[in-house]
Amino acid sequence: MHGGTLRGVFAPTLTPVDEDLRIDVARWIEHSRTLLANGCDGLCPFGTTSEATSFSVDERIDALEQLTAAGVPAAKLMPGTGCSALTDTVRLTAHAVGLGCGGVLMLPPFYYKGVSDEGIYRSIAEVIERVGDDRLRVYLYHIPPQAVVCFSLDLIERLVTDYPGTVVGIKDSSGDWNNLHGILTRFPGFGTFTGSEAFLLQTLRLGGAGSINAVANVIAPIQQRLFADWEGPEAEQFQAAINQVRPIYDGYSAISALKAVVAHYRNDPAWARVRPPLVELDAAAAQAVVDRFAKLPVAAERAI
Amino acid sequence: MHGGTLRGVFAPTLTPVDEDLRIDVARWIEHSRTLLANGCDGLCPFGTTSEATSFSVDERIDALEQLTAAGVPAAKLMPGTGCSALTDTVRLTAHAVGLGCGGVLMLPPFYYKGVSDEGIYRSIAEVIERVGDDRLRVYLYHIPPQAVVCFSLDLIERLVTDYPGTVVGIKDSSGDWNNLHGILTRFPGFGTFTGSEAFLLQTLRLGGAGSINAVANVIAPIQQRLFADWEGPEAEQFQAAINQVRPIYDGYSAISALKAVVAHYRNDPAWARVRPPLVELDAAAAQAVVDRFAKLPVAAERAI
């Protein structure tokens, strides 16, 4: 099975915004470069952690062009392109392919709930047909907690069968090991990324492609050590260290909390801004999250 | 409390699509005119029933311009304008206001689940501030079954208090009488529309503004009789007749089923098309729905 060319530790890049809530492209490019220099094999601009769906298609296209124009290699990028509207997904996907992106991360259309596998199949198939480019590599984005609309295993199989070499992987952000295990065992060689950092070691042991996690925005280096040496004696230790991060922001928005951590270490309060409907952490909460993070051993080898 | 100028029976207009899945504007305009001539006081182009979120901002703007250019009075329109992306909602809302629409129907940003009331408040407030036009009349769109993200009663109160004369109403598509009752009693004079046709009489008895229901695409005339004479002796009978429609498509997509009914009565199979992720009814299902509808007394005084 064709699993695409993308492997390793990927960050769904946090998207800084300026005081008018526009994408702060300069800070964004700098953060992208920092991550690629510090543990990330690639980036997913405009994933869930990136507040992707809070930005218009034009805003996303413009930013992505500036990112590649600044020298970030498109081959290492897997931008999110899935929208509610078929035509928006087509436009973003065609644009990413045109830039030479290594893949795209495709949400199913997420407004209508309870739609059939047939309907989701037609959505993805229609995008692939309209983009009509052999270079397209689609990674399906399964994230039931936010999208609610899902990629079932049978639907994945149908898409892979009908579009081999194009539908090459998946990001499973279900948080459900049984589902991820089902994908890894049913589709060997598929480009399967875990959306939950806690499953990285297990994913690699079963032949998965890597991880795409929010926490990579701050702790990509230790994730990279695990990815590079998952068969080594320290693998369990690396995984345990990775697992310590998420509890520090339990009860808060992961995105707002991670932006607070970045703002702290960059000594740049602007980094804490989010676009509505998200809300930045208040000062006390931000301090609490930062303090908890600073106490973790992994804070010493952070990405930022 | 300012309840806006829109009252009565509204249809979230079905959106016909051509064989390339583009909006079939000619059929759409004709359907809009038919509804306004047959029971509808106004229309909600690009509501949930309209497959709104399956079309791009540009497609929606272009179609709405053609609709008003064709002579459909903007004052009778309450187009849907709420998107996931703040900037998309701003663009659609400003455009609708510019056309002179009587109001806009605003979904909350619907990708991120579990967001706070504060975050939704900021989203709506930011749209209002950015549009910055005294003519803007916002009807909040509460539809938990699809959007999942909701307008709580406390959030409604905060928005109405801070933006009196701008936030003038709501469409409650929760399907929950307790919630609708709570809105009607807590916000007297507010422009409250029921999204469930079964609650039209109760809504009017408690001072609500009217209804916005999928079924108005086919049975607006009897809804209009109820709206016009809700204190009359036949009110309960009208309501009972209205209630008979929804069960005919139980188990099917309401949108696909209603398009099948329109396709039948217009003798125009093109009307049955839907854009993915929706799927049209198969021939047997369409026939079953049409047959059940035809047996209802209300079929004799349908809109189409």
Side-chain angles (χ1 to χ4, degrees):
Chain A
M1 182 173 289
H2 194 313
T5 55
L6 300 175
R7 290 183 60 77
V9 174
F10 278 62
T13 336
L14 289 165
T15 311
V17 292
D18 68 18
E19 54 192 9
D20 291 323
L21 303 176
R22 289 174 301 211
I23 298 173
D24 186 331
V25 178
R27 280 184 172 84
W28 188 60
I29 291 173
E30 204 215 328
H31 184 56
S32 300
R33 285 186 173 135
T34 300
L35 291 175
L36 288 173
N38 293 288
C40 282
D41 297 291
L43 302 173
C44 293
F46 303 117
T48 295
T49 304
S50 318
E51 303 172 67
T53 53
S54 298
F55 299 101
S56 72
V57 168
D58 284 340
E59 289 176 296
R60 292 162 69 166
I61 283 179
D62 176 59
L64 197 62
E65 281 184 3
Q66 292 190 58
L67 183 69
T68 54
V72 171
K76 295 187 177 190
L77 300 179
M78 186 202 297
T81 64
C83 300
S84 297
L86 175 72
T87 34
D88 284 342
T89 306
V90 170
R91 211 174 136 221
L92 283 173
T93 303
H95 178 257
V97 172
L99 285 179
C101 291
V104 299
L105 184 58
M106 198 175 290
L107 281 169
F110 51 80
Y111 180 70
Y112 293 101
K113 308 305 184 290
V115 294
S116 62
D117 273 12
E118 173 67 22
I120 304 171
Y121 174 85
R122 288 189 192 184
S123 299
I124 304 297
E126 188 75 21
V127 172
I128 293 170
E129 301 287 353
R130 288 187 183 211
V131 171
D133 193 312
D134 287 346
R135 296 173 297 170
L136 173 60
R137 299 289 176 272
V138 173
Y139 292 81
L140 306 171
Y141 191 2
H142 178 65
I143 180 168
Q146 302 296 349
V148 183
V149 180
C150 293
F151 289 104
S152 71
L153 269 69
D154 286 347
L155 172 55
I156 296 166
E157 178 153 312
R158 187 174 169 201
L159 285 164
V160 171
T161 303
D162 289 358
Y163 296 101
T166 298
V167 177
V168 297
I170 191 164
K171 175 186 180 192
D172 181 354
S173 294
S174 65
D176 173 3
W177 170 247
N178 287 331
N179 191 69
L180 178 53
H181 181 267
I183 293 170
L184 287 162
T185 51
R186 183 158 159 183
F187 308 110
F190 198 44
T192 300
F193 287 82
T194 175
S196 307
E197 67 275 10
F199 300 145
L200 177 53
L201 180 54
Q202 288 164 282
T203 297
L204 296 172
R205 283 177 175 161
L206 288 176
S211 64
I212 305 171
N213 321 117
V215 296
N217 280 281
V218 292
I219 60 148
I222 189 147
Q223 293 182 292
Q224 183 56 240
R225 289 172 73 185
L226 175 53
F227 178 73
D229 200 20
W230 64 271
E231 291 176 299
E234 292 180 294
E236 299 275 5
Q237 267 174 263
F238 295 149
Q239 182 67 66
I242 291 166
N243 296 354
Q244 290 179 311
V245 177
R246 195 180 282 235
I248 70 165
Y249 54 80
D250 197 35
Y252 300 113
S253 152
I255 300 166
S256 303
L258 291 168
K259 280 189 160 180
V261 172
V262 174
H264 171 76
Y265 283 107
R266 290 191 179 273
N267 195 21
D268 181 0
W271 250 105
R273 284 193 206 104
V274 291
R275 192 179 261 204
L278 300 189
V279 176
E280 72 287 347
L281 300 195
D282 63 32
Q287 192 59 54
V289 168
V290 165
D291 287 348
R292 277 182 232 141
F293 179 74
K295 289 194 185 105
L296 299 181
V298 77
E301 53 173 321
R302 60 184 187 273
I304 39 102
Chain B
M1 183 171 290
H2 195 312
T5 55
L6 300 175
R7 288 183 58 80
V9 174
F10 278 63
T13 335
L14 289 165
T15 310
V17 293
D18 68 18
E19 54 191 10
D20 290 324
L21 302 176
R22 289 175 301 213
I23 299 174
D24 186 332
V25 178
R27 279 185 172 85
W28 187 60
I29 292 173
E30 203 215 328
H31 184 57
S32 300
R33 285 185 172 137
T34 300
L35 292 175
L36 287 173
N38 292 286
C40 282
D41 297 291
L43 302 173
C44 293
F46 303 118
T48 296
T49 303
S50 319
E51 302 172 67
T53 53
S54 298
F55 299 101
S56 72
V57 169
D58 285 339
E59 289 177 294
R60 291 162 69 166
I61 283 179
D62 177 60
L64 198 62
E65 281 184 3
Q66 293 191 57
L67 184 68
T68 52
V72 171
K76 295 187 176 190
L77 300 180
M78 186 203 297
T81 63
C83 301
S84 298
L86 175 72
T87 34
D88 284 343
T89 305
V90 170
R91 210 174 138 221
L92 283 173
T93 303
H95 179 257
V97 172
L99 285 178
C101 291
V104 300
L105 184 60
M106 199 176 289
L107 281 169
F110 51 82
Y111 179 69
Y112 292 100
K113 308 306 183 291
V115 294
S116 63
D117 274 12
E118 173 67 23
I120 304 172
Y121 174 86
R122 289 189 192 184
S123 298
I124 304 297
E126 188 74 22
V127 172
I128 293 170
E129 300 289 351
R130 289 187 182 211
V131 171
D133 193 312
D134 287 345
R135 296 172 298 169
L136 173 60
R137 298 290 177 270
V138 174
Y139 292 81
L140 306 171
Y141 190 2
H142 179 64
I143 180 168
Q146 302 296 347
V148 183
V149 180
C150 294
F151 289 104
S152 71
L153 269 67
D154 286 347
L155 173 56
I156 297 166
E157 178 153 311
R158 188 174 168 201
L159 285 164
V160 171
T161 303
D162 289 357
Y163 297 101
T166 298
V167 177
V168 296
I170 191 165
K171 175 186 180 192
D172 180 353
S173 294
S174 65
D176 173 4
W177 170 246
N178 287 331
N179 192 69
L180 178 54
H181 181 267
I183 294 171
L184 287 162
T185 52
R186 183 158 159 182
F187 308 110
F190 200 44
T192 299
F193 287 82
T194 175
S196 306
E197 68 275 11
F199 300 145
L200 178 52
L201 179 53
Q202 289 163 280
T203 297
L204 296 172
R205 283 177 174 161
L206 288 175
S211 65
I212 305 171
N213 321 116
V215 297
N217 280 281
V218 292
I219 61 147
I222 188 145
Q223 293 180 292
Q224 183 57 239
R225 290 172 72 185
L226 174 54
F227 178 74
D229 201 20
W230 62 272
E231 292 176 298
E234 292 179 297
E236 299 276 4
Q237 266 174 263
F238 294 149
Q239 183 67 66
I242 291 166
N243 296 354
Q244 289 180 312
V245 177
R246 196 180 279 236
I248 70 165
Y249 55 79
D250 197 35
Y252 300 113
S253 151
I255 300 166
S256 303
L258 291 168
K259 280 190 160 179
V261 171
V262 173
H264 170 77
Y265 283 107
R266 290 193 179 271
N267 195 21
D268 181 1
W271 249 105
R273 283 193 207 105
V274 290
R275 191 179 261 205
L278 300 189
V279 176
E280 72 287 348
L281 300 194
D282 64 32
Q287 192 61 53
V289 168
V290 165
D291 286 349
R292 277 183 232 141
F293 180 75
K295 288 194 186 105
L296 299 180
V298 78
E301 53 173 322
R302 63 186 184 272
I304 40 102

